[in-house]
Amino acid sequence: GSGALVVLSNGTVNNVRPLSISAWIKASTRGSAESGALGGIWFKGGSGNTFGTNAGPQLFVNVIAGSANATLRYEHSVINGSTGLARATTRGVIEVNEWVHVAVTHVSNSLIATDVKLYVNGTESAVYNVTQNGVGTLSNDSMNSLYIGNRNDFARANSGWIEDVAWWNAVLTPEEMLFLSQSRMKGAPYQVQPSSLVGYFPMSDHSDLFQPAVGTTIIDQSTNRFVGILTNGVGGAVPIG
């Protein structure tokens, strides 16, 4: 459904630092043109300008106005709402109607943009269009819920499909990112630094190994067993957008 998302309530996943996020996406468009053509993947809060709020990490697909060339972008706000941390790949890295593996790593508490690495299909971006250091202190995101596939105000819909969303309290290596992108099988995140795996939502019922969505509830498959609420979606390979 349009604007679908999975929500984990505030107080569930807080200030994960260091952080790595991994997901598979298949965009039918490059995001909602009405919202500046941004396709949401992983948001820790953050309605409005991320740099003016206490939003935590945000990973999304961005289309430059007037361009069909999509970038992968990561942002994190700072406490005083001034210059936030931001990094974005070169344009044209996200193809429509193709499964693409996207990922990011962020060194613990760092405001240095080069400490953020963005990966597409297992390879770090060779060129970055945006490399902006943050000024101040990274925001405390403990009062924000976690949103997968959109933002809390439904303004950053990921139009298409999103699956196998996982995140770790660790900086994954380039070799581990390559493994995740090449494995193309459910359960791959279990094989990468399992002791640091914070959350894992396969969002697919392709195997009996995983508990599919029941009604509006999706169960995290990490040892934390977080409960997500699915809005405007269905069980199985969950369509987002």
Side-chain angles (χ1 to χ4, degrees):
S2 178
L5 76 163
V6 176
V7 182
L8 280 72
S9 62
N10 63 312
T12 304
V13 180
N14 299 325
N15 299 314
V16 181
R17 300 168 188 164
L19 172 67
S20 296
I21 303 169
S22 166
W24 283 93
I25 64 172
K26 184 178 182 181
S28 59
T29 67
R30 290 186 173 89
S32 170
E34 296 176 357
S35 62
L38 298 167
I41 299 170
W42 202 94
F43 287 87
K44 192 59 166 70
S47 61
N49 183 347
T50 180
F51 296 150
T53 70
N54 281 329
Q58 305 198 29
L59 180 66
F60 53 91
V61 175
N62 185 17
V63 179
I64 309 301
S67 169
N69 296 322
T71 72
L72 182 66
R73 185 177 176 106
Y74 175 86
E75 296 180 355
H76 200 305
S77 69
V78 293
I79 287 176
N80 61 5
S82 121
T83 303
L85 174 66
R87 205 161 202 211
T89 66
T90 188
R91 301 180 187 184
V93 299
I94 306 297
E95 294 297 328
V96 171
N97 296 320
E98 291 184 11
W99 282 104
V100 178
H101 182 261
V102 295
V104 63
T105 63
H106 182 185
V107 174
S108 183
N109 294 316
S110 178
L111 291 162
I112 306 302
T114 53
D115 284 338
V116 173
K117 311 293 185 186
L118 290 162
Y119 294 81
V120 177
N121 290 328
T123 301
E124 185 191 353
S125 179
V127 179
Y128 286 91
N129 275 4
V130 176
T131 299
Q132 176 176 292
N133 294 337
V135 176
T137 303
L138 294 179
S139 62
N140 178 351
D141 64 31
S142 61
M143 296 304 294
N144 295 320
S145 298
L146 170 62
Y147 302 86
I148 298 172
N150 207 330
R151 202 172 67 183
N152 59 333
D153 59 359
F154 288 84
R156 298 292 183 265
N158 187 342
S159 181
W161 299 71
I162 182 168
E163 289 190 5
D164 236 35
V165 180
W167 63 100
W168 294 257
N169 187 198
V171 173
L172 301 191
T173 67
E175 293 76 17
E176 288 167 334
M177 288 301 189
L178 186 62
F179 168 77
L180 288 169
S181 72
Q182 292 182 342
S183 64
R184 292 186 175 273
M185 65 179 183
K186 298 299 174 186
Y190 291 137
Q191 302 180 47
V192 177
Q193 299 198 34
S195 63
S196 298
L197 183 64
V198 177
Y200 176 33
F201 285 89
M203 299 207 287
S204 170
D205 59 0
H206 295 170
S207 167
D208 292 338
L209 175 64
F210 302 110
Q211 178 178 336
V214 179
T216 60
T217 300
I218 295 182
I219 306 300
D220 159 42
Q221 298 300 314
S222 78
T223 57
N224 290 312
R225 306 295 289 176
F226 297 128
V227 177
I229 304 300
L230 178 66
T231 304
N232 293 339
V234 298
V238 181
I240 302 294

